Amino acid sequence: MLVTEKSPIVIVGCADDNYSMPLATTMSSVIANVSSQRQVVICIIADKITQANKNKILKSLKKPNVIIEWLIPDYAKLTNAIISRHITIASYYRILIPELLPEKYQKAIYLDSDVIVKANIEKLWDTEIADNYVLAVRDMDIDATYVSSSKGLQNYQQLGIAPDCKYFNGGVLVINVEKWRRDNLSQEIINYISNNQQYIRWHDQDAMNAVIAGKWSELDPRWNSQAVIHSYSSWKETSLTEEMYNNVINDSYIVHFSSSAKPWKLGCKHPNRMLFFQYIDLTAWAGWRITFIRKLWLKVKDMMKKKGISFSQA
């Protein structure tokens, strides 16, 4: 796969209307920390985002070195996706990235819309991907470190996957788009979801780990510092070395608010939650905070969601 030094950095994000503001914040953190001379292409797989929020995203990311491309997902391919109160169909769009991207792009970085990038993402982009399908960070939950862990793949033995095969977190991925396309991996993952629904707990992340097992390479864990790492009292409780643990805690490159408690929701106690507000102030949502009135509104939204009624981001 030929990727020249002057190739644009291709970043992909997925969002529905409720994640318009977080997506803009994530992408603004990318732009703020990348060289102004390097072209960045931000591809947004959008699900029913209002024109008003689209305009705010465009305004947020309008920079001379940034190109925005909107991608439309093929909903029919995800009819068997398992969704829930916390997981929407948009969570599965990363499976389709290589199919949706223009043919000229052979590599891409996927970012969840609940991450903040603190470092220059050029360094991640320039990491050699070799013949791997993806580069990723191992899941930091000690119960999901390996496919055989209690939160790993329930059916790893039936699939013939070695118990010591590592399980990755899907929030930050460097994708070998060319290889993924060539091997029709999207369809293979979709087929897995259709045929193994009784075993799937962590949605498309489970499916990707099942299909790509042993065919991905591990990134420096600082590129995906997951929220769970802050629940451990020391490195000895984790799968990381002492040095790696200290790096993730004190010098992470990407902060991932990977629990259900998000900075823009009630109850978030993440030690780096204020980073989100630092970067939201670079967007068209600048000044957004959880005020008293908004707290009341969020409580109402939460109650209504439990009854199956959804609202756009306020």
Side-chain angles (χ1 to χ4, degrees):
M1 178 177 59
L2 179 63
V3 179
T4 68
E5 186 178 345
K6 295 183 179 180
S7 298
I9 300 172
V10 181
I11 311 290
V12 184
C14 307
D16 56 18
D17 211 44
N18 286 308
Y19 267 75
S20 296
M21 180 179 72
L23 178 139
T25 307
T26 292
M27 296 305 174
S28 291
S29 73
V30 172
I31 297 168
N33 291 293
V34 77
S35 165
S36 61
Q37 304 302 313
R38 189 72 181 262
Q39 188 177 66
V40 179
V41 178
I42 296 178
C43 299
I44 302 172
I45 306 176
D47 176 31
K48 301 174 183 176
I49 295 180
T50 64
Q51 191 58 51
N53 276 339
K54 276 191 176 183
N55 291 341
K56 291 179 83 170
I57 291 171
L58 289 170
K59 182 180 178 182
S60 302
L61 308 181
K62 187 177 181 181
K63 297 291 185 296
N65 62 318
V66 177
I67 296 172
I68 308 296
E69 297 188 15
W70 297 92
L71 306 176
I72 307 300
D74 185 349
Y75 301 98
K77 292 193 173 184
L78 299 173
T79 53
N80 289 319
I82 304 168
I83 61 175
S84 66
R85 180 183 164 211
H86 297 293
I87 302 295
T88 68
I89 193 70
S91 302
Y92 290 82
Y93 291 161
R94 58 188 162 188
I95 297 172
L96 305 176
I97 288 171
E99 292 187 359
L100 296 175
L101 284 175
E103 194 66 30
K104 62 184 176 181
Y105 300 136
Q106 299 179 348
K107 178 182 180 181
I109 295 174
Y110 166 77
L111 298 175
D112 268 356
S113 294
D114 60 353
V115 309
I116 293 296
V117 179
K118 296 168 55 183
N120 188 337
I121 210 162
E122 291 183 70
K123 184 177 178 182
L124 179 60
W125 178 259
D126 292 334
T127 304
E128 178 56 50
I129 199 167
D131 197 42
N132 296 290
Y133 283 116
V134 299
L135 305 179
V137 171
R138 203 190 325 183
D139 201 295
M140 292 180 180
D141 188 329
I142 195 63
D143 294 322
T145 300
Y146 299 99
V147 295
S148 57
S149 301
S150 61
K151 294 182 182 177
L153 296 176
Q154 289 185 309
N155 58 333
Y156 77 93
Q157 291 176 307
Q158 295 96 311
L159 296 170
I161 301 174
D164 60 351
C165 190
K166 296 172 183 177
Y167 183 99
F168 65 82
N169 180 279
V172 178
L173 302 172
V174 183
I175 303 173
N176 189 335
V177 172
E178 180 184 37
K179 181 178 174 66
W180 189 301
R181 282 190 190 122
R182 186 176 66 240
D183 295 345
N184 198 21
L185 201 65
S186 293
Q187 190 57 55
E188 192 173 343
I189 295 171
I190 289 167
N191 290 343
Y192 179 88
I193 293 171
S194 298
N195 298 328
N196 296 274
Q197 294 207 7
Q198 70 272 33
Y199 299 115
I200 293 176
R201 290 176 294 179
W202 313 117
H203 309 283
D204 64 315
Q205 181 172 280
D206 264 7
M208 287 191 293
N209 270 279
V211 174
I212 306 175
K215 300 172 185 175
W216 63 280
S217 187
E218 200 167 357
L219 288 168
D220 183 323
R222 284 177 286 186
W223 285 113
N224 185 356
S225 173
Q226 299 144 48
V228 69
I229 198 67
H230 298 284
S231 67
Y232 300 116
S233 60
S234 79
W235 68 274
K236 295 179 181 179
E237 297 179 25
T238 75
S239 60
L240 303 175
T241 65
E242 184 175 10
E243 181 182 7
M244 290 166 64
Y245 173 83
N246 288 331
N247 284 340
V248 169
I249 292 291
N250 301 313
D251 187 29
S252 58
Y253 300 150
I254 294 180
V255 174
H256 188 182
F257 300 105
S258 50
S259 70
S260 59
K262 310 295 185 186
W264 61 92
K265 295 182 179 181
L266 297 173
C268 181
K269 301 187 185 308
H270 195 291
N272 294 314
R273 61 188 177 278
M274 295 311 297
L275 263 179
F276 176 81
F277 298 102
Q278 175 184 330
Y279 285 102
I280 199 175
D281 286 344
L282 300 181
T283 76
W285 283 270
W288 191 99
R289 296 295 186 272
I290 303 179
T291 60
F292 176 74
I293 296 299
R294 189 164 273 129
K295 283 182 181 179
L296 294 178
W297 171 236
L298 289 171
K299 288 180 180 179
V300 170
K301 283 177 66 178
D302 193 52
M303 290 173 59
M304 298 307 287
K305 277 187 177 181
K306 290 177 181 178
K307 297 180 180 180
I309 302 173
S310 61
F311 294 89
S312 296
Q313 183 73 43

